[in-house]
Amino acid sequence: MARAACSSVVTALSLLPSKSHNLLRNQFSFSGKSNKFVGVLTLEKRCFSSTVSMSLKAGIVGLPNVGKSTLFNAVVENGKAQAANFPFCTIEPNVGIVAVPDSRLQVLSKLSNSQKVVPASIEFVDIAGLVKGASQGEGLGNKFLSHIREVDSILQVVRCFEDNDIVHVNGKVDPTSDIDVINLELIFCDLDQIGKRLDRLNKGKPKDSQSKVKEEAEKSALQRIQEALLDGKPARSVALNDIEKDSVKHLCLLTMKPMIYVANVAETDLADPDKNTFLEQVKALSSDLQSGHVVVSAQVESELTELPLEERTEYLNSLGVSESGLGNLIRATYSLLGLQTYFTSGEKETRAWTIHAGMTAPQAAGVIHSDFEKGFIRAETVAYEDFVSAGSLAAARDKGLLRSEGKEYIVKEGDVMLFRFNV
């Protein structure tokens, strides 16, 4: 029934005049006894929230043959996706974990004489190509839309290059149309899910007054989100209070997730991407849709993996660029999700930890282990630059650069921390 209802929405939208379609497009908005450091990290439920999970997870989506799997293969070590010129060559979602590039780790490791270095990581999921009507079963259908619910952010690869040897699923390169297709499928899928949930809420009876308050908050939020979706706006564009946000979080709505548009350009356009007319469309749309965008060349990233490490920089320089697209992609993801990094560094290891900007010292300690947060006493903290200038934690302490921060301290980007706790 809900599927039929969603089909009605599709039909109704298809009857809108062309001017309305343009309006629809323009309105898209989207770690015991010791109190010494122990490098253990806990898992958390996967669904985008205010807390940080064990590994940041980003889903790579896009229409067939836009370079999605080529990009995945290039950025993920030992990636196994079949990057072939054939729609739906990625039948199952492929997952790979990539170290987050951060030169500060090696500097800290050398100063601390660390036995090992542990970088932060980001998990990429290559999700099979979507086509128009996927929310209704076309192509490979809802099976792949469901995989997107498990990620923290969505990286939508958009083809911004011409190549007669690589067929476009819709016959021509048109970034605006491609973006519309994917975004509409995500909207239709959310409308379907919200319709089902509202039906259950309307038919059921709350067990008690507390449940009633929660259900009313959820119903109100879903009704407003539903209206926004029908106007072509994503769920994240709807202003919700904390109770409402919590009430709908279990649905993991697709359009509630942050989006980054990955403009895949030709090798020749990498040094001066502004000359690419397709990129202009992506930049304009990402601004209208309140999303991020980044420029990469999947082909260049693929070629880099075939070169020795010492030759990669030289190759990039020959193309007029200073670094690979991976760094840009990860920085864009961190920025969009409001993430930052702090470090722990000692003889055992130097490690980078990912947290949300604005987290307090106890919350940041909790990312290592929940016991660190529960039994938090204080955090011995020094800024990265001060640690480097002093040359060691002990030297920083002697120079008065090492601070003792309490429970209210807001962790800053690059802080080097040592937590004292008791449980």
Side-chain angles (χ1 to χ4, degrees):
M1 181 178 294
R3 177 66 62 193
C6 191
S7 298
S8 297
V9 172
V10 179
T11 302
L13 287 173
S14 68
L15 295 175
L16 290 172
S18 59
K19 184 177 181 180
S20 297
H21 280 293
N22 292 329
L23 179 61
L24 181 65
R25 179 184 304 121
N26 292 334
Q27 287 183 343
F28 274 116
S29 325
F30 331 82
S31 179
K33 296 180 181 179
S34 172
N35 64 348
K36 296 181 180 179
F37 163 76
V38 180
V40 180
L41 191 60
T42 55
L43 283 165
E44 293 187 315
K45 182 179 179 181
R46 172 63 60 186
C47 188
F48 185 71
S49 65
S50 61
T51 56
V52 176
S53 54
M54 180 176 179
S55 178
L56 176 64
K57 197 170 186 178
I60 305 179
V61 303
L63 292 177
N65 294 346
V66 298
K68 177 177 59 65
S69 293
T70 300
L71 180 63
F72 174 84
N73 278 326
V75 302
V76 178
E77 186 178 0
N78 297 322
K80 298 179 180 179
Q82 302 174 39
N85 181 26
F86 187 82
F88 319 125
C89 63
T90 309
I91 303 301
E92 294 295 335
N94 289 266
V95 180
I97 299 177
V98 172
V100 175
D102 196 325
S103 60
R104 296 174 296 182
L105 279 169
Q106 296 300 329
V107 175
L108 290 173
S109 176
K110 184 176 181 179
L111 292 174
S112 299
N113 294 315
S114 302
Q115 297 175 24
K116 65 178 180 178
V117 175
V118 183
S121 66
I122 180 168
E123 186 174 320
F124 288 110
V125 183
D126 181 15
I127 301 172
L130 303 174
V131 295
K132 185 175 182 179
S135 60
Q136 298 176 280
E138 292 294 328
L140 293 173
N142 270 329
K143 178 178 181 180
F144 304 101
L145 289 170
S146 66
H147 294 311
I148 307 176
R149 299 196 188 282
E150 303 171 4
V151 304
D152 299 304
S153 64
I154 299 174
L155 307 179
Q156 185 178 153
V157 181
V158 184
R159 180 171 172 173
C160 294
F161 65 90
E162 295 274 14
D163 190 329
N164 294 329
D165 294 329
I166 303 178
V167 63
H168 189 287
V169 68
N170 291 328
K172 65 176 181 177
V173 179
D174 187 343
T176 299
S177 176
D178 292 357
I179 289 174
D180 280 354
V181 168
I182 298 295
N183 288 343
L184 283 171
E185 293 307 318
L186 301 182
I187 283 179
F188 293 149
C189 199
D190 278 353
L191 283 170
D192 187 15
Q193 187 178 23
I194 288 175
K196 292 176 181 178
R197 180 57 180 166
L198 285 174
D199 282 344
R200 288 196 293 269
L201 288 173
N202 291 327
K203 293 176 181 179
K205 291 185 179 181
K207 297 178 180 179
D208 49 46
S209 58
Q210 187 174 8
S211 297
K212 183 177 181 179
V213 172
K214 290 182 179 180
E215 290 188 6
E216 288 300 324
E218 181 179 3
K219 187 184 298 184
S220 174
L222 289 179
Q223 288 172 340
R224 293 183 352 250
I225 291 174
Q226 187 178 57
E227 291 179 7
L229 294 173
L230 288 171
D231 284 338
K233 301 175 183 178
R236 63 178 171 273
S237 69
V238 180
L240 303 176
N241 59 41
D242 291 341
I243 295 177
E244 291 173 328
K245 289 179 182 178
D246 187 64
S247 70
V248 302
K249 185 170 62 176
H250 68 102
L251 294 175
C252 290
L253 296 173
L254 304 182
T255 63
M256 191 71 81
K257 300 178 184 296
M259 177 85 75
I260 294 177
Y261 295 100
V262 184
N264 183 18
V265 302
E267 174 184 314
T268 53
D269 291 334
L270 202 54
D272 192 6
D274 290 338
K275 292 182 178 180
N276 186 308
T277 57
F278 296 130
L279 178 59
E280 290 302 314
Q281 297 179 45
V282 177
K283 291 172 65 175
L285 282 170
S286 64
S287 177
D288 291 342
L289 306 180
Q290 300 176 358
S291 302
H293 79 274
V294 64
V295 179
V296 303
S297 172
Q299 188 59 41
V300 169
E301 298 300 311
S302 180
E303 292 170 355
L304 283 173
T305 64
E306 301 175 3
L307 296 175
L309 290 175
E310 60 273 14
E311 294 182 15
R312 295 183 184 183
T313 301
E314 181 180 348
Y315 175 58
L316 288 172
N317 290 338
S318 71
L319 296 176
V321 293
S322 59
E323 69 172 342
S324 70
L326 176 59
N328 291 328
L329 191 58
I330 292 178
R331 276 198 300 275
T333 302
Y334 266 54
S335 176
L336 188 65
L337 296 178
L339 303 177
Q340 64 182 33
T341 303
Y342 79 85
F343 304 98
T344 53
S345 186
E347 291 185 4
K348 182 179 180 180
E349 69 174 30
T350 291
R351 182 187 290 252
W353 302 93
T354 300
I355 61 172
H356 281 286
M359 274 190 168
T360 62
Q363 291 173 323
V367 172
I368 299 174
H369 196 284
S370 58
D371 285 349
F372 276 40
E373 181 173 7
K374 293 176 182 178
F376 179 88
I377 299 176
R378 69 182 185 275
E380 295 182 5
T381 307
V382 59
Y384 169 78
E385 292 80 5
D386 289 339
F387 186 105
V388 174
S389 65
S392 69
L393 192 64
R397 181 183 290 108
D398 293 341
K399 293 182 179 182
L401 298 174
L402 185 67
R403 314 181 307 273
S404 181
E405 301 289 359
K407 295 182 178 180
E408 303 302 317
Y409 177 69
I410 304 299
V411 180
K412 297 180 176 60
E413 169 64 37
D415 275 350
V416 182
M417 311 185 78
L418 175 64
F419 298 105
R420 301 298 183 181
F421 71 103
N422 183 32
V423 292

